[in-house]
Amino acid sequence: MSFLQTLQGRRGDRVPIWLMRQAGRYLPEYRELRTRHSFLEMVRTPELAAEATLQPTRRFGFDAAIIFSDIMTPLEALGIEIEFAPGPIIRRPLRVRPDIERLELRDDPAPYVGEALRLARAQLPEEIGLIGFCGAPLTLAAYLVEGGGSKDFEHFRRLLRADPDAMHVLLNRLTELSVAYVRMQAGSGAQAIMLFDSWAGLHDAATYAEFGVPYNRRIMEAAGDAGAARIAFALGASHVLDALAEIPCDAVGVDWRTDLAQARRILPGRALQGNLDPAVLFADRATIEREARRVLDAASEVPHVFNLGHGIWPQTPIEAVSGLVRFVHSYTR
Ligand code: 1CP
């Protein structure tokens, strides 16, 4: 089955594979581009972004390509300045309500991503899927309030509790932006839209149901209306799977800690994407194949897109990736 057929709920002998963060620093040809261009320069230059998008599919024969960008880049359309070092940094984090209420959608979000999608689609073989994406509002809010990555996101969680109304204002603005952004991507050649809720796991189920689910639903409905297949990914989210089931989508991405059998029970009718531990790629070949087989066997009853449980690590050996792709493609159910 192709990547897109699998998202449409079909299940065949051959399991498609791509890897989260498949464009990136573990790849020599990516590092080579990065010696001459900053990350943001690459993202904002459609020819470079399209090239970075295509590099991993050329080298490994992945079944899908994901557009080279970041969850934070479209936020500039709200007047927010972002730097990368290498993770996102917001020099003026949103800590108080007036800062949040000032946000408004000033421009079309990241038009250069639309151009990069068109360029990538034109160069990709037809059977390879092209994925657009956006960050979930609650995950984007975490970075915006905190000012960057963090272990506990204390400023963010404090604001959510101290002024929940302000948090809802922020989540609404981020949702409006994301709805426009996924529509634009679907209209520019993205056949699937993936929603990254990388910090969903910070919250208990009731909090996630209130602050996460309704906004994610609006974005996924917009992506569906625009004709794209939809993947919802949440990290560290085994305890919010019931809430995730309320988000309209064709596939759910699960991390390596989430039991695939449990995910199957809670998410009937959805394809599953995942969930090999990215650290396994540092093991010997026999171990990689044994662990990959475990994932494949656990998902053999559902439409399955093989992936890692989270992004590939920058030090991952290239041969481990090519070996994994060969193994997954040779596996028959
Ligand atoms: O395959 C690809 O590389 C696709 C492009 C892609 C995607 C889908 C990048 C490029 N970033 C993302 C999504 C993204 N960005 C997420 C969601 C997925 C996930 O959980 O990993 C998140 C949380 C971010 C934020 C981000 N951007 C981080 C993590 C920071 C932290 O401390 O939490 C980092 C390191 C970045 C920078 C970044 N984004 C992408 C790349 C290749 C890089 C590294 C930049 C470089 O080359 O220096």
Side-chain angles (χ1 to χ4, degrees):
M1 286 295 120
S2 74
F3 167 73
L4 281 173
Q5 288 169 325
T6 304
L7 294 187
Q8 287 156 1
R10 293 170 59 184
R11 204 164 61 78
D13 281 348
R14 186 176 166 286
V15 176
I17 174 173
W18 70 279
L19 303 184
M20 284 187 270
R21 291 277 180 93
Q22 65 190 16
R25 280 168 294 170
Y26 76 105
L27 210 58
E29 53 271 37
Y30 174 82
R31 288 199 302 271
E32 203 278 316
L33 271 180
R34 281 282 278 106
T35 60
R36 283 176 283 130
H37 308 281
S38 72
F39 174 66
L40 267 180
E41 202 177 298
M42 284 179 59
V43 166
R44 290 183 182 141
T45 311
E47 291 73 19
L48 294 174
E51 173 58 20
T53 301
L54 299 171
Q55 281 180 344
T57 50
R58 270 190 219 122
R59 183 189 270 265
F60 300 112
F62 288 126
D63 297 280
I66 184 163
I67 195 66
F68 186 78
S69 186
D70 192 80
I71 56 169
M72 302 299 286
T73 43
L75 299 180
E76 286 174 321
L78 288 173
I80 296 162
E81 283 174 38
I82 298 142
E83 297 164 32
F84 286 89
I89 295 173
I90 293 89
R91 297 251 177 246
R92 280 182 292 158
L94 306 172
R95 296 272 166 86
V96 291
R97 190 162 183 154
D99 290 345
I100 289 170
E101 286 178 339
R102 246 196 312 274
L103 297 176
E104 56 175 328
L105 197 53
R106 303 174 178 188
D107 306 300
D108 292 338
Y112 45 83
V113 171
E115 191 51 33
L117 280 163
R118 279 187 286 276
L119 291 175
R121 186 63 271 174
Q123 295 173 67
L124 268 179
E126 199 189 319
E127 66 281 6
I128 309 293
L130 181 58
I131 307 169
F133 68 89
C134 73
L138 198 55
T139 284
L140 298 174
Y143 284 109
L144 285 177
V145 176
E146 204 67 27
S150 159
K151 187 155 102 30
D152 291 315
F153 284 94
E154 285 174 28
H155 292 286
F156 162 63
R157 289 161 68 197
R158 183 168 136 188
L159 182 70
L160 187 148
R161 297 306 178 184
D163 195 348
D165 291 344
M167 186 56 66
H168 280 300
V169 172
L170 176 57
L171 294 168
N172 265 302
R173 300 274 154 84
L174 293 170
T175 301
E176 286 160 22
L177 169 86
S178 302
V179 162
Y181 187 46
V182 300
R183 280 197 186 122
M184 180 278 279
Q185 292 186 74
S188 305
Q191 297 150 303
I193 295 290
M194 179 152 163
L195 182 73
F196 283 98
D197 209 347
S198 303
W199 292 103
L202 286 174
H203 311 283
D204 62 79
T207 304
Y208 189 66
E210 179 184 345
F211 291 88
V213 172
Y215 302 102
N216 290 350
R217 180 183 294 134
R218 274 162 59 189
I219 295 166
M220 287 312 219
E221 280 169 356
D225 290 345
R230 300 165 297 183
I231 309 169
F233 171 73
L235 183 69
S238 310
H239 63 290
V240 299
L241 278 184
D242 286 310
L244 269 181
E246 302 296 313
I247 300 166
C249 63
D250 303 286
V252 175
V254 287
D255 82 13
W256 67 100
R257 291 157 294 195
T258 304
D259 179 49
L260 283 172
Q262 186 203 359
R264 255 167 49 198
R265 277 194 302 277
I266 299 178
L267 304 160
R270 313 282 174 90
L272 294 181
Q273 177 174 280
N275 72 344
L276 187 73
D277 181 346
V280 166
L281 291 174
F282 294 84
D284 57 64
R285 183 174 157 180
T287 307
I288 295 174
E289 294 187 354
R290 185 190 70 222
E291 293 299 312
R293 181 183 296 282
R294 232 159 43 84
V295 170
L296 288 159
D297 288 345
S300 65
E301 301 298 316
V302 291
H304 179 212
V305 175
F306 194 98
N307 206 313
L308 301 176
H310 196 204
I312 188 168
W313 293 356
Q315 305 80 12
T316 305
I318 287 287
E319 316 76 60
V321 178
S322 42
L324 176 69
V325 175
R326 265 197 310 276
F327 180 75
V328 171
H329 280 162
S330 69
Y331 175 93
T332 47
R333 308 218 224 197

